[in-house]
Amino acid sequence: MKTITPFLWFDDRAEEAANLYTSVFEDSRILSVSRYGEGGPGPKGSAMTVSFELRGEEFVAMNGGPLHHFTPAVSFVVHCKTQPEVDRFWDALSEGGKPGRCGWLEDRYGLSWQIVPGALMELMSDKDPKKSQAVMKAMMQMNKIEIAELERAHQNA
C-alpha cells in the first residue's frame, strides 16, 4: 500500500482532467468516481473526487471550486526515451494549455508538466564542461526539448 498520493484540486473539471490524463498515458485507468449528492457543495451528480492511476501511480482529483489554483512550483516530470515519445506527450498535454521553456508546459487545467528525454541528463552529465554547458545553453533556448539539437550542441562543443 502506498502511503503518499498526489491530490489535485480542480475548480470543476477534475473528471475531465482525469479522463485526459488516463488517455495520454498507457497503462492508466480511472479507479473510482465519487459524486456530489443533494447536500452539495457541488452540483448533484457532478464528480466530487476522481481516483485514477497513471503508469501505476495513484492520483486523486477533486472538484473543490475556485479557491485554489495550480502553480509551476509543483509539476510532474514525464521521463521519455525517444523524440516521438517527447512529441506525443508534449502535444497531448500542451493542447489548450501554455508551452513553457526547457520542456515545461502548463496543461489546459493549469497543471505543470516537464517532458524530459533521458538524453538531456546524459548529455548534460558529460565530464567535459564545454560539452555539458553547450547542451545546457541549447536546452535553455527550447520550449519542447529536441534531442537532435541537444546532440548537435554536444558534438559541436
Side-chain angles (χ1 to χ4, degrees):
M1 176 181 190
K2 293 186 180 189
T3 59
I4 298 176
T5 301
F7 192 94
L8 306 171
W9 181 299
F10 292 83
D11 182 1
D12 61 358
R13 296 171 71 189
E15 189 169 19
E16 179 184 320
N19 283 323
L20 172 68
Y21 302 150
T22 57
S23 75
V24 169
F25 293 91
E26 59 279 343
D27 300 323
S28 300
R29 62 193 173 118
I30 301 292
L31 300 172
S32 65
V33 180
S34 64
R35 301 201 177 274
Y36 285 111
E38 293 286 341
K44 181 181 177 185
S46 67
M48 179 173 60
T49 61
V50 181
S51 178
F52 61 101
E53 190 175 85
L54 303 179
R55 292 184 170 171
E57 297 296 325
E58 188 174 343
F59 294 77
V60 175
M62 179 180 81
N63 284 325
L67 185 61
H68 300 292
H69 302 280
F70 298 120
T71 75
V74 175
S75 63
F76 293 106
V77 178
V78 180
H79 299 278
C80 301
K81 293 179 183 172
T82 65
Q83 189 65 51
E85 193 177 20
V86 169
D87 296 345
R88 186 174 69 79
F89 285 115
W90 181 270
D91 293 345
L93 292 170
S94 67
E95 183 179 331
K98 298 176 191 170
R101 303 293 286 175
C102 307
W104 289 62
L105 64 88
E106 183 179 297
D107 70 21
R108 68 185 79 168
Y109 309 105
L111 189 59
S112 292
W113 298 83
Q114 298 178 56
I115 312 302
V116 181
L120 174 65
M121 293 312 297
E122 289 173 26
L123 295 169
M124 283 187 19
S125 298
D126 194 296
K127 292 180 183 180
D128 182 340
K130 287 183 183 178
K131 289 182 180 274
S132 62
Q133 289 171 8
V135 172
M136 173 66 85
K137 184 177 179 182
M139 188 239 350
M140 296 295 290
Q141 304 303 311
M142 298 178 192
N143 288 344
K144 177 177 71 175
I145 303 296
E146 299 288 346
I147 296 170
E149 289 182 35
L150 297 176
E151 290 170 339
R152 195 171 325 141
H154 184 264
Q155 291 169 356
N156 292 336

